[in-house]
Amino acid sequence: MVEQPSWKSEGLGTKKRVALWLVQEVGAGSVFTKEQLRAAFEGVSQVDRRMRELRDHGWQIDTNREDPALDPSEHRFVSQGVPVWEPGMASRKPAESVGAAQRRAVLVKDNYLCRTCGIGNGEAYGDDHGATSQLDIARRKVLLPEGDIEVQLVTECNRCRTGGRGECDLGAFGSALEQLSPYERKMLFSWMERDARAFNEVEKLWGVYRTMPAAARATAREMSLAHT
Ligand SMILES: [Zn+2]
């Protein structure tokens, strides 16, 4: 465990100091203004830009675009990303802008679907506004099973992108998996392989059962009870 340096440490780069300032002075969940940021880093150039760059490392810092409750001069430090002040951490990130080839690769792997809502590219959202989707690449903070944090790319539509998705916790996913029965795990794995949820046998039988006449339903219930 690396000890967290002070945000005032002169030896650190501006981006690292801004990250530490957010953690130590603002605090996750709190609002800060551009003026407060500039005042803390008086005389340091491009502080705003360094602050925005933290998003490339999985930091969630909202403006009034993502959070309409904010004033145009305000930001909300929602959650911390990669601890960029730790040795080697600042360089662990996807390229600043996602290149065309990388973008295409992510879209192909994600089956050209928004991984949050499942919409395809150019499809109608089906609401009154008649808006259609536009797929883009977003960065998602992933907590690896061993506890490390990594920023990975994911396909999201323009609407879900502004929703500010939380992080993805593979450790918690693993713990929840362990709670499933072997049958449930097998079912889940088959959905993963198809990248779609299929009706399982239980749901199929339920579909058959609910259309039965009352007397047949009673018999079906007795048959099920006999098997429990
Ligand atoms: Zn979406």
Side-chain angles (χ1 to χ4, degrees):
M1 192 69 202
V2 184
E3 204 185 315
Q4 197 181 86
S6 159
W7 70 273
K8 291 179 179 166
S9 309
E10 293 288 339
L12 293 172
T14 306
K15 184 158 69 184
K16 295 175 184 184
R17 289 186 58 205
V18 170
L20 289 162
W21 179 77
L22 286 171
V23 172
Q24 294 165 5
E25 297 292 319
V26 179
S30 298
V31 172
F32 64 96
T33 63
K34 285 174 189 159
E35 286 68 34
Q36 286 171 326
L37 176 68
R38 286 182 197 141
F41 292 89
E42 216 187 325
V44 180
S45 61
Q46 301 206 301
V47 181
D48 289 359
R49 189 171 172 175
R50 297 288 100 81
M51 183 264 292
R52 288 196 299 272
E53 282 172 1
L54 286 171
R55 294 191 181 125
D56 295 337
H57 302 275
W59 290 63
Q60 193 184 339
I61 302 162
D62 286 355
T63 64
N64 69 334
R65 225 181 55 167
E66 291 85 18
D67 183 349
L70 295 173
D71 194 77
S73 68
E74 289 177 329
H75 290 285
R76 187 188 305 280
F77 168 38
V78 180
S79 63
Q80 187 195 314
V82 171
V84 288
W85 55 85
E86 288 183 13
M89 291 305 259
S91 55
R92 271 217 239 158
K93 59 155 193 163
E96 185 99 333
S97 63
V98 182
Q102 196 183 10
R103 198 187 134 80
R104 203 158 40 241
V106 174
L107 285 166
V108 168
K109 278 188 198 153
D110 287 342
N111 285 333
Y112 290 90
L113 296 173
C114 168
R115 298 318 291 191
T116 298
C117 72
I119 203 164
N121 201 19
E123 287 179 15
Y125 281 107
D127 53 21
D128 305 336
H129 312 294
T132 54
S133 65
Q134 196 184 337
L135 294 182
D136 209 343
I137 306 299
R139 293 181 167 85
R140 183 73 46 83
K141 188 163 64 167
V142 177
L143 301 179
L144 301 175
E146 308 80 43
D148 288 336
I149 301 172
E150 196 174 270
V151 176
Q152 299 180 3
L153 300 174
V154 67
T155 307
E156 265 192 342
C157 72
N158 45 335
R159 201 170 270 192
C160 291
R161 267 197 73 164
T162 52
R165 216 54 36 196
E167 62 201 18
C168 149
D169 187 341
L170 280 174
F173 188 86
S175 310
L177 267 183
E178 282 171 27
Q179 305 300 313
L180 300 181
S181 69
Y183 171 75
E184 288 169 321
R185 268 199 292 269
K186 216 177 121 190
M187 187 165 78
L188 177 63
F189 184 72
S190 74
W191 296 351
M192 288 168 166
E193 291 223 291
R194 293 163 51 118
D195 197 22
R197 188 185 152 178
F199 282 113
N200 66 45
E201 283 309 310
V202 182
E203 288 167 322
K204 276 186 209 155
L205 289 176
W206 168 250
V208 174
Y209 167 82
R210 60 191 293 253
T211 62
M212 289 177 183
R217 288 204 305 277
T219 309
R221 275 204 301 279
E222 277 163 28
M223 288 162 70
S224 306
L225 186 64
H227 285 287
T228 55

